[in-house]
Amino acid sequence: MPIPALRLYDRPYLLLALTMLMWGGNAVASRLAVGELSPMVLTGGRWLFACVALLPFVHRDLVRDWPALKPRLLRLSLLGTFGFTAFNALYYAAAHYTTAINLTIMQSSVPALVLLGMLVFYRMPVTKRQLAGLLVTLLGIATLASGGSIHVLLTLRLNHGDLLLLIACVFYSGYTIAMRDKPDASPISLFCVIALAAFVSSIPLIAAEAAMGKAIWPHSLLGWGVLAFVALFPSALSQIYYIRAIEIIGPGRAGLFFNLMPVFGALLAVLILGERFGLHHALALLLVVGGILLAELAHRPPRSLEP
């Protein structure tokens, strides 16, 4: 039985925009989760609930794709462990030691790391327009993170929390690059295998959190609502969309859209959490979108000179 929300398979830019919108919503949901769900419970619960929610729709795909998935189970398990679980765990840990500004800026390293990885491992050249587009999007992220203040950027200080986040970004960049050689399987069945591995690898983290007396299980309507939202949208649909978009346009081009995520997150915070909308929000959105468009011009086929 097909899922209507998945019928966007041939529109990679729309898939990526929706993915980053949902990941931006994840940032807002994470703030709503404070006091309702502890970080590791949310990390593990999101992947478990995502698999359970998709099971009625995906079982036929899994049966059909199993011959392609089975020989790659170790690789897919590593992708779930490092790309999903380790990334989120390190992100939450880093948030205890660094500022929101640093978190935003450090995450913007993902597109650059993906382009570098594609160059090193696959010898895929980086064009001048891609570099220019990347720089413009980074300028947009810097504008967003600093509130448009150059002084704020000049006084940034790095600490070991930033190192943790950089490691997390390396993991997710590696996950993005590895998707270039994914098994010949549907994105939905591929996601379910990776998400199940992510849940299994998160169990020791949940156990450690519980042993320290810091585990908070969902106990209210808000807590369950946050978990349901994170499982269905930032976890399930967004990851399926991301896998499919990479399949169509490749990791390097898809990775550049990552810089839309903090912009969408800031705009959703304005709409949902009542934070103030500033000129720097609008400027950041224009710069990030403009940078992506500039980079994508490098992939347009030249116009014919014939009349």
Side-chain angles (χ1 to χ4, degrees):
M1 177 180 177
I3 303 175
L6 299 180
R7 295 172 183 170
L8 302 167
Y9 273 8
D10 297 324
R11 302 177 181 179
Y13 302 133
L14 179 58
L15 291 175
L16 287 166
L18 290 173
T19 294
M20 300 309 151
L21 179 61
M22 287 185 272
W23 287 355
N26 183 53
V28 176
S30 297
R31 294 178 62 178
L32 293 174
V34 175
E36 300 288 337
L37 292 158
S38 55
M40 295 305 107
V41 169
L42 181 57
T43 297
R46 63 190 292 183
W47 305 120
L48 176 62
F49 274 70
C51 290
V52 171
L54 289 177
L55 190 59
F57 306 99
V58 75
H59 64 281
R60 291 183 180 177
D61 296 74
L62 281 172
V63 171
R64 184 196 65 219
D65 295 334
W66 186 246
L69 294 169
K70 185 178 179 180
R72 311 287 288 278
L73 282 181
L74 177 59
R75 177 187 175 91
L76 296 177
S77 297
L78 291 174
L79 290 179
T81 299
F82 290 98
F84 288 1
T85 302
F87 173 81
N88 283 285
L90 288 169
Y91 179 88
Y92 287 132
H96 286 82
Y97 300 103
T98 191
T99 65
I101 293 176
N102 288 34
L103 285 172
T104 304
I105 291 178
M106 295 299 289
Q107 283 187 87
S108 66
S109 65
V110 170
L113 290 171
V114 170
L115 287 177
L116 178 61
M118 292 300 293
L119 175 64
V120 171
F121 295 107
Y122 294 102
R123 298 292 187 267
M124 293 190 67
V126 180
T127 67
K128 292 181 180 179
R129 281 183 176 174
Q130 280 181 301
L131 285 176
L134 176 62
L135 291 175
V136 173
T137 63
L138 290 177
L139 179 60
I141 295 301
T143 301
L144 174 70
S146 66
S149 171
I150 296 178
H151 174 72
V152 171
L153 291 177
L154 293 177
T155 55
L156 286 179
R157 294 292 182 271
L158 301 180
N159 55 46
H160 68 280
D162 300 305
L163 177 60
L164 292 177
L165 187 58
L166 181 59
I167 295 172
C169 291
V170 170
F171 285 157
Y172 203 82
S173 300
Y175 165 81
T176 299
I177 295 167
M179 277 295 140
R180 183 180 187 272
D181 296 324
K182 73 178 188 64
D184 185 16
S186 68
I188 188 170
S189 57
L190 185 62
F191 164 76
C192 281
V193 173
I194 297 175
L196 182 60
F199 167 67
V200 171
S201 63
S202 70
I203 292 175
L205 300 177
I206 298 173
E209 191 174 62
M212 293 186 291
K214 296 182 178 180
I216 303 176
W217 307 94
H219 55 275
S220 68
L221 186 61
L222 175 59
W224 284 109
V226 168
L227 181 58
F229 169 79
V230 170
L232 292 176
F233 295 100
S235 299
L237 280 180
S238 66
Q239 293 292 345
I240 294 169
Y241 287 176
Y242 193 57
I243 291 171
R244 176 55 180 163
I246 291 174
E247 186 177 66
I248 299 174
I249 66 174
R253 293 167 65 187
L256 191 61
F257 282 77
F258 202 93
N259 282 335
L260 274 175
M261 185 266 294
V263 180
F264 282 155
L267 296 179
L268 288 172
V270 170
L271 294 174
I272 298 173
L273 301 178
E275 296 186 2
R276 188 178 64 85
F277 182 83
L279 179 61
H280 65 284
H281 290 107
L283 181 57
L285 180 60
L286 288 174
L287 287 169
V288 171
V289 172
I292 292 172
L293 291 175
L294 177 61
E296 282 301 305
L297 287 175
H299 301 280
R300 286 189 176 184
R303 291 183 178 180
S304 173
L305 297 178
E306 296 179 6

